[in-house]
Amino acid sequence: MTLNRREALAIAGGALAFAVTGARMAWATAEDTYKAIMAFTGGAEPATGRITLNAPEIAENGNTVPISVSVESPMSAEDHVASVTILAEGNPNPETVTFHFTAMSGEAMASTRIRLAKTQNVIALAKMSDRSVFIDTKEVKVTIGGCGG
Amino acid sequence: MAKVKTRVKLPKKADKGKVITIKTLISHPMESGQRKNKSGNIIPRKIINSFKCAFNDQAVFSCDMEPAISANPYLEFTARVEKSGTFAFTWVDDDGSVYSEDEKITVG
């Protein structure tokens, strides 16, 4: 089969459009999650401890999964939790929510409801005012995914 | 679209220096930008992308939200209160709309 220039361009254009939309609907890769972790920590290696992520073991409806996170901290002006981010490894985009705390928060505790596309690990990262980073991970089994079309 | 409604729950009175729990809710579809309509076109993203809570104009808590937050975003967080004053809550929509609510607290 020979193609003239116009046909070749049309096919290439179609393939490109498919690649772009295809990539957009694809699940986040481990690399995306790693990138999101590094973007939050600024390159610091996260340690375990101090942060606790509470999430259900089994979520029947991925559209609304209650999660809560708490971090041990005196929450004083000098030593407090600056921010906490929640990442969902198996979602189209790993980022879900980032909480920013101040010394006026009193406690580093927050909860919300997130969408999970499928059974996956949910990661919580806490960044302290001294820039150290802590991590906690929970696996959530999802019965019905929450990114339906 | 249905009117956006905000709800905030916090104690009316508290002791000085106490840490109180604040619960907020806003009615919003949080359209993720991933779903398709019947004709196969992607429904454009429209979410509440940020939330702020301030006490007497001083920042207490804020959060950045992504499309992975469920519809009708619910948030629960804490604040330490040292004196009477007003909590101001603000939600920002993707389309630029800002929704806000104020709530007074008496400390003593």
Side-chain angles (χ1 to χ4, degrees):
Chain A
M1 189 174 97
T2 50
L3 297 172
N4 63 28
R5 187 168 170 273
R6 187 173 294 173
E7 282 164 353
L9 276 176
I11 291 167
L16 185 68
F18 177 78
V20 169
T21 51
R24 194 147 64 142
M25 294 306 287
W27 306 128
T29 59
E31 198 184 329
D32 287 337
T33 311
Y34 182 75
K35 264 192 215 155
I37 293 176
M38 283 303 137
F40 180 75
T41 63
E45 204 55 49
T48 52
R50 285 182 76 173
I51 180 167
T52 315
L53 171 69
N54 285 310
E57 228 166 87
I58 298 171
E60 284 193 4
N61 182 357
N63 260 316
T64 157
V65 183
I67 55 143
S68 72
V69 64
S70 61
V71 189
E72 284 170 43
S73 163
M75 292 307 274
S76 62
E78 306 79 44
D79 181 10
H80 61 268
V81 181
S83 46
V84 168
T85 195
I86 311 287
L87 301 172
E89 267 186 349
N91 273 10
N93 298 304
E95 295 87 359
T96 64
V97 64
T98 308
F99 304 115
H100 303 282
F101 299 98
T102 65
M104 279 185 67
S105 301
E107 277 172 39
M109 184 293 271
S111 49
T112 187
R113 299 194 278 239
I114 63 171
R115 290 179 175 138
L116 294 176
K118 57 178 184 183
T119 298
Q120 59 181 286
N121 287 327
V122 179
I123 304 166
L125 289 161
K127 187 155 61 184
M128 306 297 172
S129 48
D130 65 1
R131 306 227 139 242
S132 56
V133 182
F134 293 91
I135 188 168
D136 192 17
T137 309
K138 277 264 151 68
E139 194 194 19
V140 180
K141 291 189 169 67
V142 177
T143 317
I144 304 166
C147 287
Chain B
M1 200 189 102
K3 202 176 165 290
V4 171
K5 226 174 130 183
T6 60
R7 278 169 65 191
V8 172
K9 205 171 180 187
L10 73 162
K12 291 232 169 359
K13 279 181 196 161
D15 295 331
K16 190 178 179 325
K18 216 185 144 198
V19 175
I20 59 161
T21 303
I22 301 175
K23 295 172 181 177
T24 74
L25 191 69
I26 180 166
S27 63
H28 195 281
M30 296 293 275
E31 195 55 67
S32 68
Q34 300 278 348
R35 298 197 310 153
K36 287 176 179 169
N37 63 13
K38 275 188 190 133
S39 46
N41 300 318
I42 288 175
I43 306 170
R45 172 184 139 150
K46 187 183 187 298
I47 66 166
I48 298 284
N49 56 43
S50 71
F51 167 80
K52 272 193 191 73
C53 168
F55 181 69
N56 293 347
D57 294 329
Q58 207 184 342
V60 175
F61 173 87
S62 66
C63 103
D64 305 322
M65 297 191 232
E66 300 291 334
I69 296 298
S70 305
N72 304 329
Y74 164 81
L75 280 171
E76 187 181 328
F77 55 94
T78 56
R80 184 184 286 140
V81 283
E82 300 289 350
K83 54 178 189 280
S84 301
T86 311
F87 279 101
F89 305 92
T90 3
W91 292 261
V92 181
D93 197 310
D94 267 351
D95 67 9
S97 329
V98 175
Y99 310 102
S100 53
E101 188 163 336
D102 290 350
E103 206 67 52
K104 281 193 177 62
I105 186 162
T106 316
V107 173

PDB file of all heavy atoms in Angstrom, chain A residues 89-125:
ATOM      1  N   GLU A  89      -2.116   5.166  44.635  1.00  0.00           N
ATOM      2  CA  GLU A  89      -1.249   4.573  43.599  1.00  0.00           C
ATOM      3  C   GLU A  89      -1.979   4.166  42.332  1.00  0.00           C
ATOM      4  O   GLU A  89      -1.450   4.280  41.237  1.00  0.00           O
ATOM      5  CB  GLU A  89      -0.608   3.303  44.169  1.00  0.00           C
ATOM      6  CG  GLU A  89       0.717   3.481  44.784  1.00  0.00           C
ATOM      7  CD  GLU A  89       1.310   2.143  45.182  1.00  0.00           C
ATOM      8  OE1 GLU A  89       0.592   1.120  45.159  1.00  0.00           O
ATOM      9  OE2 GLU A  89       2.478   2.126  45.518  1.00  0.00           O
ATOM     10  N   GLY A  90      -3.191   3.621  42.495  1.00  0.00           N
ATOM     11  CA  GLY A  90      -3.876   3.010  41.360  1.00  0.00           C
ATOM     12  C   GLY A  90      -4.922   3.887  40.710  1.00  0.00           C
ATOM     13  O   GLY A  90      -5.753   3.411  39.953  1.00  0.00           O
ATOM     14  N   ASN A  91      -4.921   5.180  40.988  1.00  0.00           N
ATOM     15  CA  ASN A  91      -5.868   6.101  40.357  1.00  0.00           C
ATOM     16  C   ASN A  91      -5.254   6.667  39.073  1.00  0.00           C
ATOM     17  O   ASN A  91      -4.052   6.585  38.875  1.00  0.00           O
ATOM     18  CB  ASN A  91      -6.181   7.255  41.322  1.00  0.00           C
ATOM     19  CG  ASN A  91      -7.328   6.930  42.256  1.00  0.00           C
ATOM     20  OD1 ASN A  91      -7.779   5.801  42.331  1.00  0.00           O
ATOM     21  ND2 ASN A  91      -7.783   7.934  42.969  1.00  0.00           N
ATOM     22  N   PRO A  92      -6.085   7.271  38.210  1.00  0.00           N
ATOM     23  CA  PRO A  92      -5.529   7.880  36.991  1.00  0.00           C
ATOM     24  C   PRO A  92      -4.435   8.896  37.324  1.00  0.00           C
ATOM     25  O   PRO A  92      -3.435   8.987  36.623  1.00  0.00           O
ATOM     26  CB  PRO A  92      -6.741   8.561  36.364  1.00  0.00           C
ATOM     27  CG  PRO A  92      -7.914   7.793  36.875  1.00  0.00           C
ATOM     28  CD  PRO A  92      -7.548   7.336  38.251  1.00  0.00           C
ATOM     29  N   ASN A  93      -4.630   9.672  38.387  1.00  0.00           N
ATOM     30  CA  ASN A  93      -3.587  10.564  38.896  1.00  0.00           C
ATOM     31  C   ASN A  93      -3.395  10.230  40.366  1.00  0.00           C
ATOM     32  O   ASN A  93      -4.378  10.146  41.091  1.00  0.00           O
ATOM     33  CB  ASN A  93      -4.000  12.025  38.781  1.00  0.00           C
ATOM     34  CG  ASN A  93      -4.225  12.426  37.347  1.00  0.00           C
ATOM     35  OD1 ASN A  93      -3.343  12.276  36.510  1.00  0.00           O
ATOM     36  ND2 ASN A  93      -5.420  12.876  37.054  1.00  0.00           N
ATOM     37  N   PRO A  94      -2.157  10.024  40.814  1.00  0.00           N
ATOM     38  CA  PRO A  94      -1.983   9.614  42.210  1.00  0.00           C
ATOM     39  C   PRO A  94      -2.386  10.676  43.229  1.00  0.00           C
ATOM     40  O   PRO A  94      -2.804  10.337  44.329  1.00  0.00           O
ATOM     41  CB  PRO A  94      -0.497   9.278  42.305  1.00  0.00           C
ATOM     42  CG  PRO A  94       0.151   9.901  41.120  1.00  0.00           C
ATOM     43  CD  PRO A  94      -0.895  10.020  40.070  1.00  0.00           C
ATOM     44  N   GLU A  95      -2.287  11.962  42.891  1.00  0.00           N
ATOM     45  CA  GLU A  95      -2.594  13.005  43.876  1.00  0.00           C
ATOM     46  C   GLU A  95      -4.077  12.984  44.230  1.00  0.00           C
ATOM     47  O   GLU A  95      -4.928  12.889  43.339  1.00  0.00           O
ATOM     48  CB  GLU A  95      -2.247  14.400  43.336  1.00  0.00           C
ATOM     49  CG  GLU A  95      -0.784  14.642  43.089  1.00  0.00           C
ATOM     50  CD  GLU A  95      -0.343  14.203  41.696  1.00  0.00           C
ATOM     51  OE1 GLU A  95      -1.185  13.695  40.935  1.00  0.00           O
ATOM     52  OE2 GLU A  95       0.848  14.356  41.392  1.00  0.00           O
ATOM     53  N   THR A  96      -4.392  13.079  45.526  1.00  0.00           N
ATOM     54  CA  THR A  96      -5.798  13.203  45.907  1.00  0.00           C
ATOM     55  C   THR A  96      -6.035  14.498  46.668  1.00  0.00           C
ATOM     56  O   THR A  96      -6.866  15.299  46.286  1.00  0.00           O
ATOM     57  CB  THR A  96      -6.282  12.021  46.759  1.00  0.00           C
ATOM     58  OG1 THR A  96      -5.574  12.023  47.986  1.00  0.00           O
ATOM     59  CG2 THR A  96      -6.065  10.700  46.073  1.00  0.00           C
ATOM     60  N   VAL A  97      -5.287  14.701  47.760  1.00  0.00           N
ATOM     61  CA  VAL A  97      -5.538  15.877  48.576  1.00  0.00           C
ATOM     62  C   VAL A  97      -4.268  16.218  49.349  1.00  0.00           C
ATOM     63  O   VAL A  97      -3.472  15.328  49.669  1.00  0.00           O
ATOM     64  CB  VAL A  97      -6.738  15.636  49.523  1.00  0.00           C
ATOM     65  CG1 VAL A  97      -6.455  14.542  50.515  1.00  0.00           C
ATOM     66  CG2 VAL A  97      -7.164  16.904  50.253  1.00  0.00           C
ATOM     67  N   THR A  98      -4.062  17.493  49.611  1.00  0.00           N
ATOM     68  CA  THR A  98      -2.954  17.947  50.445  1.00  0.00           C
ATOM     69  C   THR A  98      -3.509  18.871  51.515  1.00  0.00           C
ATOM     70  O   THR A  98      -4.179  19.852  51.198  1.00  0.00           O
ATOM     71  CB  THR A  98      -1.891  18.687  49.615  1.00  0.00           C
ATOM     72  OG1 THR A  98      -1.525  17.858  48.519  1.00  0.00           O
ATOM     73  CG2 THR A  98      -0.661  18.997  50.447  1.00  0.00           C
ATOM     74  N   PHE A  99      -3.253  18.538  52.772  1.00  0.00           N
ATOM     75  CA  PHE A  99      -3.685  19.376  53.893  1.00  0.00           C
ATOM     76  C   PHE A  99      -2.518  20.238  54.348  1.00  0.00           C
ATOM     77  O   PHE A  99      -1.398  19.752  54.440  1.00  0.00           O
ATOM     78  CB  PHE A  99      -4.123  18.512  55.079  1.00  0.00           C
ATOM     79  CG  PHE A  99      -5.198  17.509  54.770  1.00  0.00           C
ATOM     80  CD1 PHE A  99      -4.947  16.152  54.853  1.00  0.00           C
ATOM     81  CD2 PHE A  99      -6.468  17.932  54.409  1.00  0.00           C
ATOM     82  CE1 PHE A  99      -5.949  15.214  54.580  1.00  0.00           C
ATOM     83  CE2 PHE A  99      -7.470  17.005  54.139  1.00  0.00           C
ATOM     84  CZ  PHE A  99      -7.213  15.643  54.228  1.00  0.00           C
ATOM     85  N   HIS A 100      -2.792  21.501  54.644  1.00  0.00           N
ATOM     86  CA  HIS A 100      -1.757  22.388  55.178  1.00  0.00           C
ATOM     87  C   HIS A 100      -2.146  22.784  56.589  1.00  0.00           C
ATOM     88  O   HIS A 100      -3.225  23.333  56.797  1.00  0.00           O
ATOM     89  CB  HIS A 100      -1.615  23.635  54.305  1.00  0.00           C
ATOM     90  CG  HIS A 100      -1.315  23.312  52.876  1.00  0.00           C
ATOM     91  ND1 HIS A 100      -0.070  22.951  52.449  1.00  0.00           N
ATOM     92  CD2 HIS A 100      -2.117  23.258  51.796  1.00  0.00           C
ATOM     93  CE1 HIS A 100      -0.106  22.695  51.150  1.00  0.00           C
ATOM     94  NE2 HIS A 100      -1.333  22.871  50.724  1.00  0.00           N
ATOM     95  N   PHE A 101      -1.270  22.513  57.533  1.00  0.00           N
ATOM     96  CA  PHE A 101      -1.552  22.822  58.926  1.00  0.00           C
ATOM     97  C   PHE A 101      -0.739  24.028  59.386  1.00  0.00           C
ATOM     98  O   PHE A 101       0.244  24.400  58.761  1.00  0.00           O
ATOM     99  CB  PHE A 101      -1.207  21.627  59.816  1.00  0.00           C
ATOM    100  CG  PHE A 101      -2.000  20.397  59.501  1.00  0.00           C
ATOM    101  CD1 PHE A 101      -1.474  19.402  58.695  1.00  0.00           C
ATOM    102  CD2 PHE A 101      -3.278  20.240  60.001  1.00  0.00           C
ATOM    103  CE1 PHE A 101      -2.210  18.257  58.402  1.00  0.00           C
ATOM    104  CE2 PHE A 101      -4.022  19.113  59.712  1.00  0.00           C
ATOM    105  CZ  PHE A 101      -3.486  18.108  58.916  1.00  0.00           C
ATOM    106  N   THR A 102      -1.186  24.630  60.493  1.00  0.00           N
ATOM    107  CA  THR A 102      -0.430  25.704  61.130  1.00  0.00           C
ATOM    108  C   THR A 102      -0.363  25.385  62.611  1.00  0.00           C
ATOM    109  O   THR A 102      -1.018  24.450  63.075  1.00  0.00           O
ATOM    110  CB  THR A 102      -1.128  27.063  60.939  1.00  0.00           C
ATOM    111  OG1 THR A 102      -2.374  27.009  61.648  1.00  0.00           O
ATOM    112  CG2 THR A 102      -1.384  27.381  59.492  1.00  0.00           C
ATOM    113  N   ALA A 103       0.388  26.191  63.357  1.00  0.00           N
ATOM    114  CA  ALA A 103       0.459  25.990  64.803  1.00  0.00           C
ATOM    115  C   ALA A 103      -0.928  26.158  65.428  1.00  0.00           C
ATOM    116  O   ALA A 103      -1.217  25.600  66.476  1.00  0.00           O
ATOM    117  CB  ALA A 103       1.448  26.974  65.412  1.00  0.00           C
ATOM    118  N   MET A 104      -1.804  26.918  64.771  1.00  0.00           N
ATOM    119  CA  MET A 104      -3.153  27.134  65.294  1.00  0.00           C
ATOM    120  C   MET A 104      -4.075  25.937  65.102  1.00  0.00           C
ATOM    121  O   MET A 104      -5.190  25.921  65.612  1.00  0.00           O
ATOM    122  CB  MET A 104      -3.780  28.359  64.629  1.00  0.00           C
ATOM    123  CG  MET A 104      -3.317  29.654  65.268  1.00  0.00           C
ATOM    124  SD  MET A 104      -4.175  31.061  64.587  1.00  0.00           S
ATOM    125  CE  MET A 104      -5.843  30.786  65.146  1.00  0.00           C
ATOM    126  N   SER A 105      -3.616  24.942  64.332  1.00  0.00           N
ATOM    127  CA  SER A 105      -4.459  23.762  64.127  1.00  0.00           C
ATOM    128  C   SER A 105      -4.638  22.970  65.416  1.00  0.00           C
ATOM    129  O   SER A 105      -5.602  22.220  65.546  1.00  0.00           O
ATOM    130  CB  SER A 105      -3.862  22.852  63.057  1.00  0.00           C
ATOM    131  OG  SER A 105      -3.739  23.540  61.840  1.00  0.00           O
ATOM    132  N   GLY A 106      -3.685  23.081  66.338  1.00  0.00           N
ATOM    133  CA  GLY A 106      -3.799  22.377  67.607  1.00  0.00           C
ATOM    134  C   GLY A 106      -3.377  20.929  67.523  1.00  0.00           C
ATOM    135  O   GLY A 106      -2.577  20.458  68.302  1.00  0.00           O
ATOM    136  N   GLU A 107      -3.920  20.211  66.564  1.00  0.00           N
ATOM    137  CA  GLU A 107      -3.540  18.828  66.323  1.00  0.00           C
ATOM    138  C   GLU A 107      -3.371  18.662  64.825  1.00  0.00           C
ATOM    139  O   GLU A 107      -4.055  19.335  64.064  1.00  0.00           O
ATOM    140  CB  GLU A 107      -4.663  17.869  66.761  1.00  0.00           C
ATOM    141  CG  GLU A 107      -4.687  17.532  68.221  1.00  0.00           C
ATOM    142  CD  GLU A 107      -5.934  16.747  68.585  1.00  0.00           C
ATOM    143  OE1 GLU A 107      -6.340  15.882  67.782  1.00  0.00           O
ATOM    144  OE2 GLU A 107      -6.500  17.014  69.650  1.00  0.00           O
ATOM    145  N   ALA A 108      -2.493  17.725  64.437  1.00  0.00           N
ATOM    146  CA  ALA A 108      -2.369  17.458  63.008  1.00  0.00           C
ATOM    147  C   ALA A 108      -3.285  16.291  62.681  1.00  0.00           C
ATOM    148  O   ALA A 108      -2.886  15.145  62.698  1.00  0.00           O
ATOM    149  CB  ALA A 108      -0.932  17.147  62.637  1.00  0.00           C
ATOM    150  N   MET A 109      -4.538  16.604  62.451  1.00  0.00           N
ATOM    151  CA  MET A 109      -5.539  15.576  62.187  1.00  0.00           C
ATOM    152  C   MET A 109      -6.492  16.101  61.125  1.00  0.00           C
ATOM    153  O   MET A 109      -6.884  17.268  61.172  1.00  0.00           O
ATOM    154  CB  MET A 109      -6.273  15.284  63.496  1.00  0.00           C
ATOM    155  CG  MET A 109      -7.297  14.168  63.466  1.00  0.00           C
ATOM    156  SD  MET A 109      -8.745  14.464  62.465  1.00  0.00           S
ATOM    157  CE  MET A 109      -9.805  15.240  63.616  1.00  0.00           C
ATOM    158  N   ALA A 110      -6.834  15.280  60.159  1.00  0.00           N
ATOM    159  CA  ALA A 110      -7.808  15.684  59.162  1.00  0.00           C
ATOM    160  C   ALA A 110      -8.448  14.439  58.572  1.00  0.00           C
ATOM    161  O   ALA A 110      -7.824  13.379  58.521  1.00  0.00           O
ATOM    162  CB  ALA A 110      -7.158  16.508  58.055  1.00  0.00           C
ATOM    163  N   SER A 111      -9.694  14.563  58.159  1.00  0.00           N
ATOM    164  CA  SER A 111     -10.298  13.456  57.423  1.00  0.00           C
ATOM    165  C   SER A 111     -11.162  13.977  56.295  1.00  0.00           C
ATOM    166  O   SER A 111     -11.636  15.115  56.325  1.00  0.00           O
ATOM    167  CB  SER A 111     -11.079  12.521  58.343  1.00  0.00           C
ATOM    168  OG  SER A 111     -11.932  13.254  59.149  1.00  0.00           O
ATOM    169  N   THR A 112     -11.326  13.145  55.280  1.00  0.00           N
ATOM    170  CA  THR A 112     -12.134  13.496  54.124  1.00  0.00           C
ATOM    171  C   THR A 112     -12.567  12.204  53.449  1.00  0.00           C
ATOM    172  O   THR A 112     -12.376  11.126  53.989  1.00  0.00           O
ATOM    173  CB  THR A 112     -11.355  14.430  53.166  1.00  0.00           C
ATOM    174  OG1 THR A 112     -12.231  14.866  52.143  1.00  0.00           O
ATOM    175  CG2 THR A 112     -10.158  13.742  52.545  1.00  0.00           C
ATOM    176  N   ARG A 113     -13.193  12.339  52.281  1.00  0.00           N
ATOM    177  CA  ARG A 113     -13.626  11.154  51.537  1.00  0.00           C
ATOM    178  C   ARG A 113     -13.024  11.219  50.144  1.00  0.00           C
ATOM    179  O   ARG A 113     -13.112  12.254  49.481  1.00  0.00           O
ATOM    180  CB  ARG A 113     -15.150  11.131  51.455  1.00  0.00           C
ATOM    181  CG  ARG A 113     -15.789  11.057  52.828  1.00  0.00           C
ATOM    182  CD  ARG A 113     -17.232  10.700  52.762  1.00  0.00           C
ATOM    183  NE  ARG A 113     -18.063  11.852  52.480  1.00  0.00           N
ATOM    184  CZ  ARG A 113     -19.042  12.266  53.298  1.00  0.00           C
ATOM    185  NH1 ARG A 113     -19.293  11.636  54.413  1.00  0.00           N
ATOM    186  NH2 ARG A 113     -19.771  13.302  52.970  1.00  0.00           N
ATOM    187  N   ILE A 114     -12.409  10.115  49.711  1.00  0.00           N
ATOM    188  CA  ILE A 114     -11.734  10.128  48.411  1.00  0.00           C
ATOM    189  C   ILE A 114     -12.321   9.075  47.472  1.00  0.00           C
ATOM    190  O   ILE A 114     -13.039   8.187  47.896  1.00  0.00           O
ATOM    191  CB  ILE A 114     -10.199   9.921  48.545  1.00  0.00           C
ATOM    192  CG1 ILE A 114      -9.877   8.552  49.142  1.00  0.00           C
ATOM    193  CG2 ILE A 114      -9.587  11.034  49.375  1.00  0.00           C
ATOM    194  CD1 ILE A 114      -8.398   8.212  49.080  1.00  0.00           C
ATOM    195  N   ARG A 115     -11.958   9.219  46.200  1.00  0.00           N
ATOM    196  CA  ARG A 115     -12.352   8.243  45.179  1.00  0.00           C
ATOM    197  C   ARG A 115     -11.187   7.306  44.930  1.00  0.00           C
ATOM    198  O   ARG A 115     -10.049   7.758  44.796  1.00  0.00           O
ATOM    199  CB  ARG A 115     -12.668   8.957  43.862  1.00  0.00           C
ATOM    200  CG  ARG A 115     -13.931   9.774  43.908  1.00  0.00           C
ATOM    201  CD  ARG A 115     -14.151  10.470  42.578  1.00  0.00           C
ATOM    202  NE  ARG A 115     -15.436  11.163  42.600  1.00  0.00           N
ATOM    203  CZ  ARG A 115     -15.616  12.379  42.095  1.00  0.00           C
ATOM    204  NH1 ARG A 115     -14.628  13.031  41.540  1.00  0.00           N
ATOM    205  NH2 ARG A 115     -16.798  12.937  42.142  1.00  0.00           N
ATOM    206  N   LEU A 116     -11.462   6.015  44.838  1.00  0.00           N
ATOM    207  CA  LEU A 116     -10.430   5.043  44.491  1.00  0.00           C
ATOM    208  C   LEU A 116     -10.922   4.219  43.307  1.00  0.00           C
ATOM    209  O   LEU A 116     -12.028   3.689  43.326  1.00  0.00           O
ATOM    210  CB  LEU A 116     -10.129   4.126  45.688  1.00  0.00           C
ATOM    211  CG  LEU A 116      -9.491   4.797  46.913  1.00  0.00           C
ATOM    212  CD1 LEU A 116      -9.338   3.804  48.037  1.00  0.00           C
ATOM    213  CD2 LEU A 116      -8.145   5.411  46.562  1.00  0.00           C
ATOM    214  N   ALA A 117     -10.067   4.112  42.287  1.00  0.00           N
ATOM    215  CA  ALA A 117     -10.480   3.459  41.046  1.00  0.00           C
ATOM    216  C   ALA A 117     -10.512   1.945  41.176  1.00  0.00           C
ATOM    217  O   ALA A 117     -11.286   1.280  40.518  1.00  0.00           O
ATOM    218  CB  ALA A 117      -9.545   3.874  39.918  1.00  0.00           C
ATOM    219  N   LYS A 118      -9.629   1.382  41.993  1.00  0.00           N
ATOM    220  CA  LYS A 118      -9.520  -0.074  42.125  1.00  0.00           C
ATOM    221  C   LYS A 118      -8.777  -0.381  43.408  1.00  0.00           C
ATOM    222  O   LYS A 118      -8.323   0.538  44.098  1.00  0.00           O
ATOM    223  CB  LYS A 118      -8.784  -0.648  40.908  1.00  0.00           C
ATOM    224  CG  LYS A 118      -7.406  -0.027  40.711  1.00  0.00           C
ATOM    225  CD  LYS A 118      -6.662  -0.623  39.549  1.00  0.00           C
ATOM    226  CE  LYS A 118      -5.272  -0.022  39.476  1.00  0.00           C
ATOM    227  NZ  LYS A 118      -4.488  -0.467  38.354  1.00  0.00           N
ATOM    228  N   THR A 119      -8.621  -1.669  43.715  1.00  0.00           N
ATOM    229  CA  THR A 119      -7.868  -2.085  44.887  1.00  0.00           C
ATOM    230  C   THR A 119      -6.432  -1.589  44.752  1.00  0.00           C
ATOM    231  O   THR A 119      -5.804  -1.775  43.711  1.00  0.00           O
ATOM    232  CB  THR A 119      -7.891  -3.626  45.003  1.00  0.00           C
ATOM    233  OG1 THR A 119      -9.253  -4.007  45.174  1.00  0.00           O
ATOM    234  CG2 THR A 119      -7.068  -4.106  46.164  1.00  0.00           C
ATOM    235  N   GLN A 120      -5.939  -0.942  45.785  1.00  0.00           N
ATOM    236  CA  GLN A 120      -4.631  -0.306  45.651  1.00  0.00           C
ATOM    237  C   GLN A 120      -4.088   0.138  47.009  1.00  0.00           C
ATOM    238  O   GLN A 120      -4.787   0.082  48.017  1.00  0.00           O
ATOM    239  CB  GLN A 120      -4.764   0.928  44.768  1.00  0.00           C
ATOM    240  CG  GLN A 120      -5.757   1.937  45.325  1.00  0.00           C
ATOM    241  CD  GLN A 120      -5.888   3.136  44.427  1.00  0.00           C
ATOM    242  OE1 GLN A 120      -4.997   3.963  44.398  1.00  0.00           O
ATOM    243  NE2 GLN A 120      -6.977   3.213  43.689  1.00  0.00           N
ATOM    244  N   ASN A 121      -2.848   0.585  46.990  1.00  0.00           N
ATOM    245  CA  ASN A 121      -2.237   1.152  48.189  1.00  0.00           C
ATOM    246  C   ASN A 121      -2.519   2.649  48.251  1.00  0.00           C
ATOM    247  O   ASN A 121      -2.403   3.341  47.251  1.00  0.00           O
ATOM    248  CB  ASN A 121      -0.723   0.947  48.180  1.00  0.00           C
ATOM    249  CG  ASN A 121      -0.351  -0.490  48.451  1.00  0.00           C
ATOM    250  OD1 ASN A 121      -1.039  -1.183  49.198  1.00  0.00           O
ATOM    251  ND2 ASN A 121       0.711  -0.948  47.836  1.00  0.00           N
ATOM    252  N   VAL A 122      -2.893   3.097  49.435  1.00  0.00           N
ATOM    253  CA  VAL A 122      -3.054   4.534  49.665  1.00  0.00           C
ATOM    254  C   VAL A 122      -1.881   4.964  50.541  1.00  0.00           C
ATOM    255  O   VAL A 122      -1.557   4.300  51.531  1.00  0.00           O
ATOM    256  CB  VAL A 122      -4.397   4.840  50.342  1.00  0.00           C
ATOM    257  CG1 VAL A 122      -4.548   6.318  50.605  1.00  0.00           C
ATOM    258  CG2 VAL A 122      -5.542   4.337  49.475  1.00  0.00           C
ATOM    259  N   ILE A 123      -1.224   6.035  50.146  1.00  0.00           N
ATOM    260  CA  ILE A 123      -0.009   6.484  50.828  1.00  0.00           C
ATOM    261  C   ILE A 123      -0.267   7.836  51.472  1.00  0.00           C
ATOM    262  O   ILE A 123      -0.844   8.725  50.846  1.00  0.00           O
ATOM    263  CB  ILE A 123       1.151   6.615  49.815  1.00  0.00           C
ATOM    264  CG1 ILE A 123       1.370   5.289  49.088  1.00  0.00           C
ATOM    265  CG2 ILE A 123       2.439   7.073  50.492  1.00  0.00           C
ATOM    266  CD1 ILE A 123       2.242   5.416  47.862  1.00  0.00           C
ATOM    267  N   ALA A 124       0.146   7.980  52.724  1.00  0.00           N
ATOM    268  CA  ALA A 124       0.066   9.289  53.387  1.00  0.00           C
ATOM    269  C   ALA A 124       1.479   9.740  53.709  1.00  0.00           C
ATOM    270  O   ALA A 124       2.292   8.965  54.216  1.00  0.00           O
ATOM    271  CB  ALA A 124      -0.765   9.184  54.657  1.00  0.00           C
ATOM    272  N   LEU A 125       1.773  10.987  53.392  1.00  0.00           N
ATOM    273  CA  LEU A 125       3.095  11.555  53.662  1.00  0.00           C
ATOM    274  C   LEU A 125       2.917  12.816  54.492  1.00  0.00           C
ATOM    275  O   LEU A 125       2.048  13.632  54.191  1.00  0.00           O
ATOM    276  CB  LEU A 125       3.787  11.939  52.355  1.00  0.00           C
ATOM    277  CG  LEU A 125       4.270  10.829  51.433  1.00  0.00           C
ATOM    278  CD1 LEU A 125       4.481  11.398  50.046  1.00  0.00           C
ATOM    279  CD2 LEU A 125       5.564  10.233  51.947  1.00  0.00           C
TER     280      LEU A 125
END
